[in-house]
Structure formats: C-alpha cells, structure tokens
Amino acid sequence: MRRDLAEAVPDIAWPTGIQLTQYRTELAAAVHHLMELGYRDGGGRVPALTLWQRQFETDPEYDPSLCFIALDVNGIVAVCQCWTSAYIKNLVVHPRVRRQGLGRALLLHAFKVFQQRREGFVDLKVLEDNLRARRLYDSVGMYAVRREPVPV
C-alpha cells in the first residue's frame, strides 16, 4: 500500500500516557518481544533475537531515528519500524493497548517525518486477509498499488 505525501497529514492524537522515543540497542530485547507477540496470530514472523538484531541494525536502510517506539508506564507498547527508502517494515501494537489510536498515531508520525525528509510516498506491504490492518491503512489515506501472490 502507498500514501502520497503531497497530501496533508492530519494532526496526531496520541493516546494519553504515551511517550515516543526511537530505537536504541538497549531496547532490542523488548522491541523483539513485542514483535513476536504481535505476529503470534499470523501475518509475519520474527527471527530469534540475536539474528533479528544483527539483521536489523546492519541493514543498509537502517536508521534508528526511523524506528519509532511508543512507551507507557509499563514499557514498550508499539513499534513502527521504517527504512530510509520511505518504507514501513513493521507496525506492531501490543494487544493490551489496541483500538486506542496508537497505530494510527504512529503511522501519521511516520508520514510527517518522511514529508520532512522530502519523500513523495510511503509504502508498506500487508497481507490481503489482514483486514484490521488494511482498515487502519485505508483510514490514513493509504491505497493499494500492487497485489502479489503469497507463497504457500
């Protein structure tokens, strides 16, 4: 899916008690754990922590300032991991804080950051049967640009 960044991005309404930070090595285990939790019901998978961290931190498109992490009083509750190519690699929200607008807020934040970087579009991939995610992406102005078969 794609979001045209020439279009205005709405103001961000952050849920109460949320603090935004960026990725740091000392947060790797907690970020990894949230990704495992988020993908437990399907839609993706995450390699073991050591491999995931090495792949993530050495990727040519890695920039820690593009990995947005939302925290509340209990720890990390959401991650929006983006690449320098204006691509959203992962968006995961902890089940206990879903349906509070956090995923939407992180997406809008990413759009604004990429607008500041003078990108034209932001892209991501989503499985066609992930209706909850697709509804979220539709609600922030994203649209389908290409369909790819899912390997079985």
Side-chain angles (χ1 to χ4, degrees), residues 86-148:
Y87 181 78
I88 298 173
K89 172 75 171 130
N90 288 296
L91 175 65
V92 180
V93 177
H94 195 289
R96 72 176 171 80
V97 296
R98 288 186 183 151
R99 304 192 58 79
Q100 296 179 25
L102 189 49
R104 178 183 175 82
L106 281 168
L107 285 169
L108 295 176
H109 179 74
F111 297 163
K112 286 181 183 260
V113 168
F114 283 119
Q115 277 182 328
Q116 292 167 356
R117 293 170 73 109
R118 303 204 183 282
E119 296 289 347
F121 301 93
V122 172
D123 293 323
L124 59 76
K125 290 182 183 177
V126 62
L127 293 175
E128 205 162 324
D129 65 350
N130 190 345
L131 300 179
R132 182 178 51 196
R134 289 184 51 219
R135 279 191 299 270
L136 170 62
Y137 302 147
D138 287 339
S139 79
V140 295
M142 298 192 87
Y143 54 91
V145 290
R146 184 174 79 212
R147 292 179 66 190
E148 294 181 20

Side-chain angles (χ1 to χ4, degrees), residues 50-69:
T50 305
L51 177 59
W52 170 83
Q53 186 175 1
R54 183 173 57 248
Q55 289 175 339
F56 176 55
E57 293 177 2
T58 62
D59 191 284
E61 292 196 61
Y62 167 72
D63 177 345
S65 71
L66 294 175
C67 184
F68 312 115
I69 298 174

Side-chain angles (χ1 to χ4, degrees), residues 10-35:
D11 290 333
I12 303 170
W14 291 100
T16 304
I18 295 297
Q19 177 186 350
L20 191 64
T21 190
Q22 67 185 34
Y23 179 82
R24 300 181 304 279
T25 301
E26 61 268 20
L27 299 176
V31 169
H32 180 264
H33 176 70
L34 178 62
M35 288 191 178

